[in-house]
Amino acid sequence: MFKIINQLFRIADGFAVKIKIAFVFSFFEGVFLNMPIFGVFFIINKIMLQRITLQDVWVCSAIVIGGVLLQYLFRYLVLVYQSASGYHIFEKERIRIGDKFKRFPMGFFTEDSMGHVSSVVTTDFTFIETWVVFSIDKVVKGCISATVGLSFLLYMDYRIALINLVIISIAIVVLNKIQKVGREQSVIRQKTSEELVSAVLEYVQGISVIKAFNLTNDKSRATHEAFIKTRDNCIAFEKKFIPPNMIYELCFSTSIAVTVCLSMIFAVKNSLSISTMLMLVIFIFHLYTPLNALGVFSANLRIMEAALKRYEDINSTAIIDENGTEPALNNYDIEFENVSFAYNEKDIIKDINFSVPEKSMTALVGSSGGGKTTIVNLIARFWDVQKGSIRIGGMDVKDMTCEGLLSHVSMVFQDVYLFNDTIMNNIRFGNPDATEEEVVNACIKARCHDFIIELENGYNTVVGEGGSTLSGGEKQRISIARAILKDAPIILLDEATASVDPDNEKHIQIAINELVKDKTLIMIAHRLSTIKNADQILVIDNGRIIQKGTHHELIEEKGQYHDFWKRRMRARSWKINTAID
């Protein structure tokens, strides 16, 4: 329990003080919870001695009423200081981990990790924020009540107190067994939850492919099996807890029975007063109510412990710009010096060198899988190189913060992602402080203003998650408008016209021309006709630069670029044979 409390305090920041104050109030609540019992003991003792007076009744009433009022006062203060603390803490943690995600290497976000990440920031966080403060409060109050109660037993009769102390010690041993089962099963339970989230994500994200290839039954079966596994593990989780939890509760039932029997025996033998015997019989049922709940809440605590451990594992992932600084660049030349990069021990980029002068255009061409996209991603520092250095304006990108670096870079790739928000807000991602007029001007340059104003709500149209309500060409033009609005000096472009229809291609090409004016441009080229005027063309093959030069120079070399160009020319000259035999 103390480990969980320490973990909670580490992430609670300013709320830690409020939770600690709530624990203090919880202590006093536990004390005054037993105060009415003292009043009853006082009045019963007076009755048995036949010395009760009206004043005694008033004293007893004052103790009982005062105890109840003070108990509820401190309960109110506990709720004021701890109520909703879990929600505030984990609202802050969701934002914090979201900010860290931007600074994680892209290798962290693999298909295998997405279910894990989604499970932690949704299922785990929801469970913890709902139960953590409440469960810890119940455990703390139970321990306080037990301590105060045992002290009261000791005051009334040391023999009964010692017997109950022995039984409570046995219960603590059993509780440790429950904790051990909880630690083992909670890890399995949370892992199963992660697998279920992964299965659901895969099914939803791949639904178009599943339907297109009639795989609905196969994938439904896999998702259904994930649900079945989750159900079975949750049932197993509960079954594992039943035996030790029953023994734990049996300890208290035994203690109550033993206390009642021995109290009466001691009273018959005149070693215990009748008034004390009556109080013991009344009080013993009250003593174990909060302790009985510990067995139930211990399961919640162990789930929280496993959930917090999973979160701390993510939170401890090294960020790539921990020692970075905000760059003050005088120019935007880009240099690759002896750069090598491997992903999962597979060499992707192998000792490449090239430079891109400021305000020039460099095109990357080559076969798929050769490393073109990796080069662009390394410039944006989505990954860090294992060998060599990448410099912008003479400064190593490893010495920059991610935000500082990306403030100088705009990226437009084939796979455009738009958020489930208005078109206006999606474009403002390029510059959150932009005015509506600036957004419209960017859209005019990107050739998307006309189709936007034809939509029912114009710029306030919500595009759906991923931009699902727009065509591919429309999304591309909006992404270019976003980049134009950002107005960064470096443009990284995965040729946006590669997979669009001719009409959209014309508009997108005009928009790109507006985007790249007076910029340092690195462009992954799929259509060689778009890079004839590039200042330099790099031919990438198997992670190496095998050719470098202008279009005319590379045509003269008659290497791989020459072969690409010849195939492109043959493809452009084909015709449909309309002759009829």
Side-chain angles (χ1 to χ4, degrees):
M1 181 187 74
F2 294 109
K3 181 179 178 181
I4 295 175
I5 292 175
N6 287 332
Q7 286 176 304
L8 179 64
F9 285 161
R10 277 201 302 272
I11 64 176
D13 291 340
F15 291 99
V17 174
K18 294 183 67 174
I19 295 172
K20 290 174 183 178
I21 293 173
F23 285 165
V24 173
F25 289 143
S26 186
F27 168 79
F28 286 108
E29 180 193 0
V31 170
F32 289 112
L33 182 67
N34 294 297
M35 191 170 170
I37 301 294
F38 301 151
V40 173
F41 176 68
F42 171 78
I43 203 69
I44 288 178
N45 197 44
K46 288 289 185 178
I47 292 171
M48 298 306 300
L49 294 173
Q50 296 183 345
R51 295 176 183 172
I52 189 168
T53 64
L54 183 60
Q55 183 180 358
D56 294 330
V57 173
W58 286 114
V59 171
C60 176
S61 299
I63 293 173
V64 172
I65 294 172
V68 170
L69 291 176
L70 288 170
Q71 173 196 339
Y72 279 94
L73 171 63
F74 283 108
R75 168 88 317 225
Y76 171 76
L77 292 173
V78 167
L79 293 174
V80 166
Y81 276 85
Q82 77 174 22
S83 180
S85 290
Y87 296 102
H88 286 299
I89 291 167
F90 285 94
E91 173 263 340
K92 173 179 61 64
E93 284 306 300
R94 284 186 175 95
I95 293 173
R96 177 184 292 176
I97 197 65
D99 287 337
K100 288 195 72 172
F101 283 159
K102 295 186 296 185
R103 302 165 67 192
F104 284 174
M106 290 301 292
F108 174 82
F109 300 100
T110 62
E111 290 294 328
D112 293 336
S113 74
M114 291 312 296
H116 176 64
V117 172
S118 299
S119 177
V120 169
V121 298
T122 55
T123 307
D124 288 359
F125 274 15
T126 300
F127 186 88
I128 299 170
E129 68 186 357
T130 302
W131 290 102
V132 64
V133 179
F134 179 75
S135 297
I136 291 175
D137 173 60
K138 289 294 183 184
V139 171
V140 169
K141 189 164 69 174
C143 294
I144 292 169
S145 297
T147 303
V148 174
L150 282 173
S151 301
F152 185 55
L153 285 180
L154 188 62
Y155 167 74
M156 289 191 290
D157 189 275
Y158 76 92
R159 296 165 298 179
I160 298 295
L162 289 175
I163 290 168
N164 279 273
L165 181 60
V166 169
I167 295 176
I168 288 175
S169 299
I170 295 171
I172 290 173
V173 173
V174 178
L175 185 61
N176 286 332
K177 172 64 176 176
I178 294 175
Q179 303 282 340
K180 182 180 179 182
V181 171
R183 287 190 186 94
E184 294 170 354
Q185 292 299 311
S186 59
V187 173
I188 298 172
R189 184 182 185 274
Q190 298 308 96
K191 180 64 177 176
T192 305
S193 173
E194 174 188 321
E195 292 172 355
L196 176 60
V197 172
S198 296
V200 172
L201 281 175
E202 183 183 32
Y203 186 83
V204 172
Q205 291 173 347
I207 190 67
S208 59
V209 177
I210 291 169
K211 292 178 70 174
F213 289 92
N214 199 26
L215 299 174
T216 308
N217 291 335
D218 294 335
K219 284 300 179 181
S220 293
R221 190 180 303 113
T223 307
H224 181 68
E225 288 172 357
F227 280 111
I228 295 296
K229 184 178 179 180
T230 302
R231 179 203 66 188
D232 292 344
N233 280 341
C234 287
I235 293 172
F237 178 82
E238 298 296 335
K239 284 183 176 180
K240 289 282 186 179
F241 271 101
I242 289 174
N245 209 57
M246 291 296 293
I247 296 172
Y248 179 74
E249 293 181 4
L250 181 62
C251 289
F252 300 128
S253 299
T254 302
S255 184
I256 291 170
V258 169
T259 298
V260 171
C261 291
L262 289 180
S263 296
M264 291 189 292
I265 291 170
F266 292 157
V268 169
K269 291 185 175 183
N270 295 319
S271 62
L272 189 68
S273 68
I274 297 298
S275 60
T276 304
M277 183 269 291
L278 289 173
M279 274 307 306
L280 286 170
V281 170
I282 294 171
F283 180 69
I284 198 65
F285 288 94
H286 171 79
L287 173 64
Y288 290 121
T289 300
L291 284 177
N292 236 334
L294 294 186
V296 176
F297 285 111
S298 63
N300 284 350
L301 290 175
R302 297 286 72 82
I303 294 173
M304 284 179 236
E305 184 178 22
L308 284 169
K309 172 66 168 58
R310 280 151 53 91
Y311 170 59
E312 287 192 345
D313 287 344
I314 291 177
N315 199 36
S316 62
T317 301
I319 58 178
I320 64 175
D321 64 344
E322 188 168 5
N323 300 314
T325 59
E326 295 293 327
L329 303 178
N330 296 320
N331 65 75
Y332 298 99
D333 297 339
I334 299 173
E335 298 175 78
F336 273 58
E337 183 178 350
N338 302 322
V339 171
S340 295
F341 172 76
Y343 181 67
N344 285 342
E345 299 183 357
K346 178 184 178 182
D347 291 334
I348 307 296
I349 300 297
K350 304 167 186 175
D351 195 32
I352 65 173
N353 295 270
F354 68 90
S355 61
V356 179
E358 183 179 27
K359 297 183 180 180
S360 69
M361 174 182 175
T362 294
L364 308 179
V365 301
S367 303
S368 296
K372 302 184 298 297
T373 300
T374 300
I375 290 173
V376 170
N377 287 336
L378 291 175
I379 295 172
R381 208 184 173 194
F382 288 169
W383 289 280
D384 272 341
V385 300
Q386 282 93 23
K387 179 186 173 185
S389 65
I390 301 172
R391 293 187 294 274
I392 296 178
M395 185 176 183
D396 196 314
V397 295
K398 286 186 177 181
D399 296 329
M400 306 179 190
T401 63
C402 289
E403 289 185 355
L405 168 62
L406 292 174
S407 68
H408 299 292
V409 177
S410 286
M411 309 175 72
V412 179
F413 292 142
Q414 288 187 62
D415 296 326
V416 177
Y417 189 89
L418 300 181
F419 293 91
N420 186 23
D421 204 338
T422 64
I423 290 176
M424 177 68 72
N425 288 338
N426 267 287
I427 295 171
R428 274 195 175 128
F429 273 103
N431 180 3
D433 299 323
T435 65
E436 185 172 334
E437 183 181 358
E438 289 171 329
V439 172
V440 171
N441 286 336
C443 290
I444 292 172
K445 292 179 180 179
R447 299 304 189 271
C448 58
H449 174 71
D450 290 343
F451 83 76
I452 292 174
I453 60 175
E454 289 178 1
L455 298 173
E456 183 177 356
N457 296 310
Y459 281 86
N460 292 318
T461 301
V462 176
V463 298
E465 186 173 352
S468 56
T469 61
L470 300 176
S471 71
E474 289 170 339
K475 288 193 292 184
Q476 276 290 8
R477 281 183 269 171
I478 287 176
S479 73
I480 294 171
R482 188 160 57 190
I484 290 173
L485 190 66
K486 185 175 181 180
D487 195 28
I490 297 173
I491 306 295
L492 305 179
L493 181 65
D494 191 345
E495 188 175 341
T497 62
S499 56
V500 296
D501 58 84
D503 185 54
N504 267 305
E505 180 182 359
K506 177 185 67 176
H507 292 297
I508 291 171
Q509 194 59 58
I510 295 171
I512 289 173
N513 293 338
E514 289 285 348
L515 171 65
V516 302
K517 284 180 180 178
D518 298 320
K519 309 293 185 184
T520 304
L521 172 65
I522 296 183
M523 176 182 184
I524 298 175
H526 301 278
R527 300 188 180 185
L528 300 187
S529 58
T530 62
I531 60 169
K532 289 175 63 176
N533 298 320
D535 296 288
Q536 68 173 336
I537 299 170
L538 308 179
V539 182
I540 313 297
D541 184 60
N542 196 26
R544 299 183 186 276
I545 298 175
I546 60 171
Q547 286 184 286
K548 182 190 301 184
T550 64
H551 171 76
H552 295 292
E553 290 171 346
L554 294 178
I555 290 293
E556 292 297 323
E557 278 188 23
K558 296 187 178 180
Q560 191 175 102
Y561 183 84
H562 179 262
D563 294 338
F564 286 155
W565 182 257
K566 283 201 305 183
R567 287 199 293 271
R568 176 63 179 167
M569 291 301 100
R570 283 199 298 268
R572 289 182 62 181
S573 62
W574 69 272
K575 295 180 180 179
I576 298 175
N577 188 351
T578 58
I580 300 175
D581 293 336

